């Protein structure tokens, strides 16, 4: 691998003010509010710091919801992969995939019982109409709590008076094995009827209450989990070692055990996951572009009901600086609609090529520069496509960013013919496992970012099921465990999670004059720029707004374009 050199500085154009557009979650008109900027290039560290302040990318468009004013507040959420344990529903999805790969079995259950497939809704029109879709949305019903224990069925035992004189309690050898196995009490036969005319058989243990028997089973079960503890426990009661319960491993399977369980040689299907760099496009990415696009096209048509000849707005070549004109912004959508009709009717532009352009701009183009530091992951940092190959063909693609501290999930699309595999959930679990794999080489890379958690939209709460996880406080930008946030979100859709009323945003802009700007190909501090070149007083308002949103660190590293 070639020696690594420091990347070029990040370069962005910030759009002054806030944009109102239709919300993709509650569907209300002109009630979703965000700030936005166009990123010509971003280092992975700068983007890491931006998403840790509530920003998110869609293609090269970077946006930040105005949390206290938007209709559906979107909270940045991250999962802790190193402590993650799959829930029962997660295991169900992994076992379903394993059965399909091994035997070709397809789940016959009703899709309504397990609506876990990820979908996407229109969530922003934004300052650029060519970026019109933002986040993954999962049709997921509330998953029942994984903390519910199994309910033991017990036969009600009615006890009459017990004799005062009770012989010393003995445990029959057969009873030990039965109790240790966790079987119901009615399968344990430790009593025999008294001999005729002689009353109770004193060689047998006396009747015990159901409560006592449950305690006994619990105690023996705990002993089984630790062979040494079991040996000591039975020796204390004078039981011979030969009567110890059979050793049994009760340790839960890890995520890797469930995902990478070996398949038989005659397995029905073969699944392979490949990670290919999308920006700049690697040879593998270029070679599979057409096949990947066809999966995306089918996904959009069947899952989102897009017509096959749907025109795209992304053919328009836009000059970002023109959006500073309020008149231009207000008439942009109408003008763009007229343009697309003109292109298709007069110039016979292919709708297929239009779709490819949208696909490329939204899911392939990225502002992140590829970086390969010596202490980083083998694949490097930047933007990638994680392709799911089943029997030699692509059935799903997860768009991800690999950043200094996390794997950030951008989007997922899949072949609708394989919806029965719950690929939305399965891909998330694979991405968590992938993060753990990267952590082994790069220790600081230890989080999995899932985009936005939207508590006010029930269908977007599924992300909270991947735990332990944190939500980002929208005022102080500190991470707070989601369990502490949910009670507040049940009361109010907008919340400050930091419980310290004195806490402030430690990363806020403290010296706007140190904001770096790019003017006529020269990088200089904003304090110098405004003395010599700033003519419009509104410009300072925009720069101060930008500096507060990106924070002091980013404002000193990222170049802010000035025209």
């Amino acid at each position: 691998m070639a020696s690594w050199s420091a990347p070029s500085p990040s370069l962005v154009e910030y759009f002054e003010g806030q944009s109102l557009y239709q919300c993709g979650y509650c569907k209300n008109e002109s009630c979703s509010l965000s700030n936005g900027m166009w990123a010509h290039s971003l280092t992975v560290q700068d983007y890491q710091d931006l998403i840790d302040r509530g920003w998110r990318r869609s293609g090269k468009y970077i946006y930040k919801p105005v949390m206290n004013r938007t209709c559906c507040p979107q909270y940045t959420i991250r999962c802790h992969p190193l402590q993650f344990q799959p829930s029962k529903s997660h295991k169900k999805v992994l076992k379903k995939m394993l059965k399909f790969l091994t035997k070709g079995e397809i789940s016959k259950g009703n899709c309504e019982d397990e609506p876990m497939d990820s979908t996407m809704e229109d969530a922003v029109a934004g300052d650029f109409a060519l970026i019109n879709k933002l986040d993954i949305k999962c049709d997921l019903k509330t998953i029942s709590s994984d903390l519910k224990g199994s309910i033991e069925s017990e036969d009600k035992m009615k006890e009459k008076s017990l004799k005062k004189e009770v012989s010393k309690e003995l445990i029959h050898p057969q009873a030990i094995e039965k109790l240790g196995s966790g079987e119901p009490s009615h399968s344990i036969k430790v009593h025999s009827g008294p001999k005729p005319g002689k009353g109770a058989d004193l060689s047998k243990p006396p009747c015990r209450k159901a409560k006592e028997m449950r305690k006994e089973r619990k105690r023996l079960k705990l002993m089984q989990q630790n062979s040494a503890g079991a040996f000591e426990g039975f020796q204390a009661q004078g039981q011979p070692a030969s009567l110890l319960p059979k050793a049994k491993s009760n340790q839960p399977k890890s995520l890797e055990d469930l995902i990478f369980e070996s398949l038989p040689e005659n397995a029905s299907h073969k699944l392979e996951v490949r990670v290919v760099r999308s920006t700049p496009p690697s040879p593998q990415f270029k070679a599979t572009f057409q096949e990947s696009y066809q999966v995306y096209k089918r996904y959009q048509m069947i899952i989102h009901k897009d017509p096959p000849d749907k025109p795209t707005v992304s053919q328009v070549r836009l000059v970002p600086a023109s959006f500073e004109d309020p008149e231009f912004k207000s008439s942009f959508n109408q003008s763009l609609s007229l343009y697309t009709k003109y292109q298709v009717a007069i110039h016979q532009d292919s709708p297929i090529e239009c779709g490819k352009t949208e696909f490329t701009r939204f899911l392939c183009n990225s502002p992140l520069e590829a970086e390969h530091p010596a202490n980083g992951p083998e694949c490097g940092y930047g933007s990638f496509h994680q392709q799911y190959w089943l029997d030699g063909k692509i059935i799903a693609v997860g768009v991800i960013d690999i950043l200094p501290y996390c794997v950030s999930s951008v989007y997922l699309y899949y072949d609708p013919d394989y919806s029965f595999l719950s690929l939305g959930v399965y891909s998330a679990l694979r991405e968590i496992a992938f993060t753990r794999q990267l952590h082994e080489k790069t220790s600081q890379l230890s989080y999995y970012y899932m985009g936005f958690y939207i508590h006010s939209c029930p269908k977007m709460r599924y992300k909270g099921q991947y735990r332990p996880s944190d939500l980002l406080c929208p005022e102080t930008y500190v991470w707070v465990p989601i369990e502490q946030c949910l009670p507040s979100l049940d009361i109010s859709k907008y919340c400050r999670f930091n419980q310290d009323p004195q806490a402030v945003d430690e990363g806020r802009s403290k010296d706007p004059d140190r904001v770096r700007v790019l003017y006529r190909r020269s990088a200089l501090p904003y304090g110098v720029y405004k003395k010599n070149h700033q003519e419009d007083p509104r410009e300072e308002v925009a720069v101060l707004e930008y500096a507060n949103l990106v924070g002091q660190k980013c404002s000193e590293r990222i170049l802010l374009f000035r025209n």
Side-chain angles (χ1 to χ4, degrees):
M1 182 182 292
S3 59
W4 178 76
S5 57
S8 303
S10 302
L11 175 62
V12 302
E13 292 186 66
Y14 177 72
F15 305 128
E16 179 184 358
Q18 298 161 345
S19 300
L20 277 170
Y21 45 87
Q22 182 186 27
C23 178
Y25 305 108
C26 67
K27 303 301 181 183
N28 289 332
E29 295 285 345
S30 301
C31 66
S32 189
L33 195 65
S34 71
N35 296 99
M37 56 187 179
W38 188 261
H40 294 275
S41 66
L42 276 180
T43 67
V44 291
Q45 184 61 60
D46 286 339
Y47 184 52
Q48 176 75 69
D49 290 341
L50 285 174
I51 63 175
D52 284 338
R53 292 184 64 82
W55 291 84
R56 193 79 182 158
R57 82 172 183 89
S58 182
K60 289 190 173 185
Y61 182 71
I62 317 295
Y63 62 100
K64 184 181 189 301
V66 183
M67 299 291 283
N68 60 344
R69 294 177 57 196
T70 192
C71 54
C72 297
Q74 302 166 51
Y75 298 93
T76 302
I77 182 171
R78 72 178 185 184
C79 173
H80 297 253
L82 304 185
Q83 291 79 40
F84 174 80
Q85 286 292 337
S87 66
K88 289 180 181 178
S89 58
H90 295 153
K91 292 177 182 178
K92 184 178 180 181
V93 171
L94 295 175
K95 290 177 181 177
K96 179 166 58 177
M97 175 65 79
L98 182 62
K99 286 182 179 179
F100 173 72
L101 296 177
T102 304
K103 302 178 181 179
E105 293 183 5
I106 298 177
S107 176
K108 297 180 181 179
N110 190 342
C111 294
E112 295 296 326
D113 296 333
E114 199 175 8
M116 299 179 182
D117 297 327
S118 298
T119 61
M120 179 184 69
E121 292 288 346
D122 293 342
V124 69
D127 293 303
F128 284 90
L130 58 102
I131 302 299
N132 61 355
K133 295 182 178 179
L134 292 180
D135 200 23
I136 298 174
K137 183 175 181 180
C138 182
D139 293 327
L140 179 67
K141 290 182 178 178
T142 304
I143 299 176
S144 60
S145 172
D146 299 322
L147 299 179
K148 291 182 179 179
S150 60
I151 302 173
E152 294 186 354
S153 61
E154 293 280 351
D155 290 336
K156 293 183 179 181
M157 302 179 65
K158 295 182 179 181
E159 297 290 342
K160 295 183 179 180
S161 61
L162 295 175
K163 295 185 177 181
K164 293 182 179 180
E165 296 181 0
V166 179
S167 61
K168 185 178 180 180
E169 180 176 307
L170 298 174
I171 302 180
H172 193 278
Q174 293 179 352
I176 296 175
E177 293 183 0
K178 289 290 186 178
L179 289 171
S181 69
E183 294 182 17
S185 58
H186 58 262
S187 66
I188 304 169
K189 298 182 180 180
V190 297
H191 298 125
S192 61
K195 294 180 180 180
K198 293 188 178 181
D201 186 349
L202 299 181
S203 66
K204 305 294 182 181
C207 286
R208 293 179 296 161
K209 292 185 178 180
K211 183 177 180 181
E212 294 175 352
M213 300 184 74
R214 284 197 295 271
K215 288 181 178 180
E216 183 69 17
R217 282 197 300 277
K218 184 176 180 181
R219 182 176 66 82
L220 292 176
K221 187 175 181 181
L222 291 173
M223 287 182 179
Q224 285 183 321
Q225 295 175 4
N226 186 330
S227 58
F231 181 80
E232 293 173 4
F234 275 82
Q235 289 296 327
Q237 297 183 48
Q239 297 296 329
S242 61
L243 298 181
L244 291 177
K246 296 179 181 179
K248 182 173 76 172
S249 174
N250 285 317
Q251 293 297 325
K253 285 187 176 182
S254 68
L255 179 62
E256 288 75 11
D257 291 337
L258 294 166
I259 290 177
F260 303 113
E261 186 167 339
S262 59
L263 299 177
E265 293 183 0
N266 62 344
S268 298
H269 301 285
K270 178 183 178 182
L271 179 68
E272 180 185 1
V273 179
R274 304 177 190 173
V275 179
V276 298
R277 183 178 289 278
S278 57
T279 306
S282 66
Q284 298 90 341
F285 179 83
K286 291 179 180 178
T288 58
F289 176 85
Q290 185 64 31
E291 183 174 356
S292 182
Y293 167 65
Q294 291 300 325
V295 175
Y296 169 79
K297 183 180 176 182
R298 278 178 48 78
Y299 176 80
Q300 290 297 103
M301 290 171 54
I302 296 176
I303 302 299
H304 294 294
K305 316 303 180 187
D306 282 356
D309 59 345
K310 176 186 175 182
T312 174
V313 298
S314 56
Q315 281 189 298
V316 182
R317 298 184 180 274
L318 303 173
V319 181
S322 65
F323 278 90
E324 295 177 4
D325 185 347
E327 262 186 68
F328 179 85
K329 289 182 71 174
S330 64
S331 62
F332 174 74
N333 287 333
Q334 184 177 356
S335 176
L336 187 58
S337 176
L338 180 64
Y339 172 84
T340 53
K341 290 179 180 179
Y342 173 81
Q343 289 294 99
V344 173
I346 304 300
H347 295 288
Q348 282 78 48
D349 280 359
S350 167
I352 294 178
E353 292 303 316
C354 292
K356 282 185 180 178
T357 306
E358 177 184 287
F359 170 70
T360 301
R361 294 201 180 201
F362 172 51
L363 294 175
C364 303
N365 290 351
S366 167
L368 300 184
E369 295 190 18
E371 300 181 28
H372 294 87
N375 61 344
E378 291 184 6
C379 59
Y381 297 114
S383 296
F384 299 83
H385 280 196
Q386 202 167 39
Q387 301 173 337
Y388 293 77
W389 290 77
L390 180 70
D391 301 332
K393 71 173 185 177
I394 298 175
I395 65 165
V397 177
V399 182
I400 59 173
D401 294 328
I402 301 179
L403 305 176
Y405 306 128
C406 73
V407 169
S408 176
S409 178
V410 179
Y411 190 66
L412 172 79
Y413 59 93
Y414 56 86
D415 187 333
D417 288 346
Y418 296 91
S419 296
F420 64 89
L421 291 174
S422 301
L423 292 171
V425 174
Y426 183 78
S427 65
L429 297 174
R430 288 295 298 243
E431 288 170 7
I432 290 174
F434 181 56
T435 307
R436 287 156 66 140
Q437 179 184 346
L438 296 178
H439 171 78
E440 294 179 3
K441 172 70 165 58
T442 310
S443 59
Q444 72 270 18
L445 203 163
S446 55
Y447 295 103
Y448 174 57
Y449 283 49
M450 297 176 281
F452 288 133
Y453 174 83
I454 307 172
H455 194 76
S456 56
C457 179
K459 289 185 178 181
M460 289 300 294
R461 295 183 186 180
Y462 73 96
K463 296 180 182 181
Q465 298 296 332
Y466 296 85
R467 299 189 182 184
S469 58
D470 307 316
L471 296 183
L472 187 67
C473 176
E475 295 181 8
T476 61
Y477 302 109
V478 297
W479 295 98
V480 180
I482 192 170
E483 293 85 356
Q484 298 180 23
C485 305
L486 295 181
S488 300
L489 289 173
D490 287 335
I491 299 173
S492 173
K493 63 182 180 181
Y494 172 75
C495 298
R496 169 193 167 109
F497 300 136
N498 193 327
Q499 297 301 310
D500 181 1
Q502 305 301 321
V504 296
D505 172 18
E506 297 294 340
R508 67 190 184 282
S509 175
K510 303 176 181 67
D511 188 358
D513 284 347
R514 295 174 64 180
V515 172
R516 292 186 73 193
V517 300
L518 181 68
Y519 178 70
R520 292 183 178 176
R521 299 185 180 181
S522 296
L524 62 159
Y526 175 66
V528 176
Y529 165 80
K530 70 179 180 180
K531 288 181 181 179
N532 303 312
H533 307 291
Q534 182 171 288
E535 299 177 357
D536 189 346
R538 293 180 303 173
E539 187 173 17
E540 183 169 10
V541 175
V543 173
L544 293 177
E545 182 180 74
Y546 158 82
N548 286 326
L549 291 170
V550 303
Q552 187 69 32
K553 287 192 299 183
C554 284
S555 69
E556 291 183 23
R557 293 197 306 255
I558 299 175
L559 291 176
L560 176 64
F561 178 77
R562 294 286 92 193
N563 185 1

